[in-house]
Amino acid sequence: MADTHAHGKGYTLTSFLKYKLKNKDMKKNIVSMCMVALAAITFISCENVPSPYNNPNGNKGETNEGIYLNETFSSNLGKFTTVTPKGIAWQHNFGTATATGYNAKDKTNTESESYLVSPIIDLAKAKQAYLQFEYIIRYLSHNGANKVLITKKYTGNPTTTVWEDITGTLKEGSNWTDFTTYAKNLDAKYIGDTLRIAFYYSSTTTGSRTWEIKNVVVKEGTVNEEGGGEQEKPEGDGTEAAPYNVAAAIAKATASNVFVKGYIVGYVYGMKYDGARFSSDTCTVNGNVLIANSPNQIDKSKCMPVQLPAGAIRDLLNLKDHKANLKQEVLLFGQIDTYFGVPGLKFATYAKLGSTEAGTKPGGLFYENFASGKGAFTIVDESALPTGLTQIWAYDSKGHYMKASAYMKDAKHATESWLISPVIDLSKVTSATLAFEQAGKFFGTTTITNEITVEISTDYNSGKPSTATWTKATMSALPTNKNFTFVATTIDLTPYAGNSHVRIGFRYTSNITNVGTWEVKNISIK
């Protein structure tokens, strides 16, 4: 009666087993009852499990049919691993994988770089597959990067692995409760193989973003893409008719004499690319701008810095003086090269903003911008070089122009040296104009027009210039003779139209009193 009463009070099976037993028979009965109860529980549990049962993340990577990866991050980072070259690693917070370089306690930012790498994902039996996850990302205007990466050849070290960036455009959240869905169909080259994905995060001491991720799955099938479907595609071939877009220019990394088109989205403040700013209202920098495929881009990894040379191009494009240039489309001609440590556009010689042009547009009858050397021009010294002087005309690889000077080791030398063009055919035109940019300093105040001249010949072939007939041309402008700011200059070549053998000579002279420096670039004839 006492035992029945105990159950009648609603004791649990555990508390019932703790009830003080006084005889062996009762103990035996209770043990029998427990065995029956456990068997029943086991039977019921098995009935509730689908058959056959597969562990999504166990048993050598076996998954539910059609589910190749399933990680919620609800209680930890699961089988994902973190690799952190510097700073703060990915962490588990609020049921998500979280990356940030911001310390809320002391309100400081830590320069960080961290990868969250998936376990091996086996798509051997897949016909189609997609990646999907939920995320919140905040403070996108701060410095840093957020990338979704994929590879078939993980080296064990994400910094040495060749990844494909499938990030697309991530959408910034406005609170910490509403998650955005990312969905990307995996390329056919990954189907039937094994792969890994990784989430890459970086921040700087001047700013940090925060990225929260959960419910990461790779499943059989296809999906309407979100985020990943907005991956920027490289377009164009670098010609005026089909200029590179910014994605293509970044992928190109290095190239000379190419057209690039994009939207002005900001500028770089300071000496490092971490100083990228996506505004114009407080801009105090006139030496560069940032361009991107989209006028609303704020991810600096999808932007290209553009060096603005002093002169017309800088005057037209810089955000310090022209705040309204932000989000305006621009066409540029120049050289793709490393700038601020990333692919950028340098030594621009032509720009077009709206209907306004600046610099020298390539094309026409002849063009040479000295992007990588003196081109087809020849250097001829009229007389032997003085002792201690090895050259007068020379290519400046930093400024990408030709420069003449007879000043060497605090000594002034009397010289005459020519920079002579290849033969230019004007036989099919009735008019022509020579255009170029020049800068100069240290010439005589009244003698500069004799110390630097541009002369035309129709009978020069080779050898010393004095063996041919040259006619001094009238330049529309001269260098300032005060600084090395380039000045746009033109010369009318119409008197030589109809002639198939025309050469342009840039003649530099100096004496022991006046030894100037002359710089010339962006020569064109139209």
Side-chain angles (χ1 to χ4, degrees), residues 32-44:
S32 298
M33 293 170 62
C34 289
M35 293 299 291
V36 173
L38 290 172
I41 292 171
T42 303
F43 176 77
I44 293 170

Side-chain angles (χ1 to χ4, degrees), residues 366 368 370 373-379 419-423 503:
F366 178 79
E368 179 57 67
F370 305 122
K374 63 184 178 66
F377 277 72
T378 56
I379 297 171
L419 178 69
I420 302 175
S421 76
V423 173
R503 290 186 188 258

Side-chain angles (χ1 to χ4, degrees), residues 407-483:
Y407 186 79
M408 178 67 69
K409 296 182 179 179
D410 297 327
K412 299 178 180 179
H413 301 280
T415 63
E416 180 181 337
S417 186
W418 292 65
L419 178 69
I420 302 175
S421 76
V423 173
I424 300 166
D425 184 1
L426 301 182
S427 62
K428 297 180 180 180
V429 299
T430 56
S431 64
T433 300
L434 167 67
F436 62 98
E437 295 177 57
Q438 61 175 332
K441 190 177 179 182
F442 308 120
F443 295 101
T445 304
T446 59
T447 58
I448 185 173
T449 55
N450 293 321
E451 293 168 24
I452 54 172
T453 60
V454 178
E455 305 189 19
I456 316 299
S457 176
T458 57
D459 61 3
Y460 177 79
N461 290 305
S462 62
K464 293 184 178 182
S466 59
T467 61
T469 302
W470 295 87
T471 301
K472 182 178 178 180
T474 300
M475 292 188 278
S476 64
L478 290 170
T480 65
N481 208 18
K482 297 178 181 179
N483 54 48

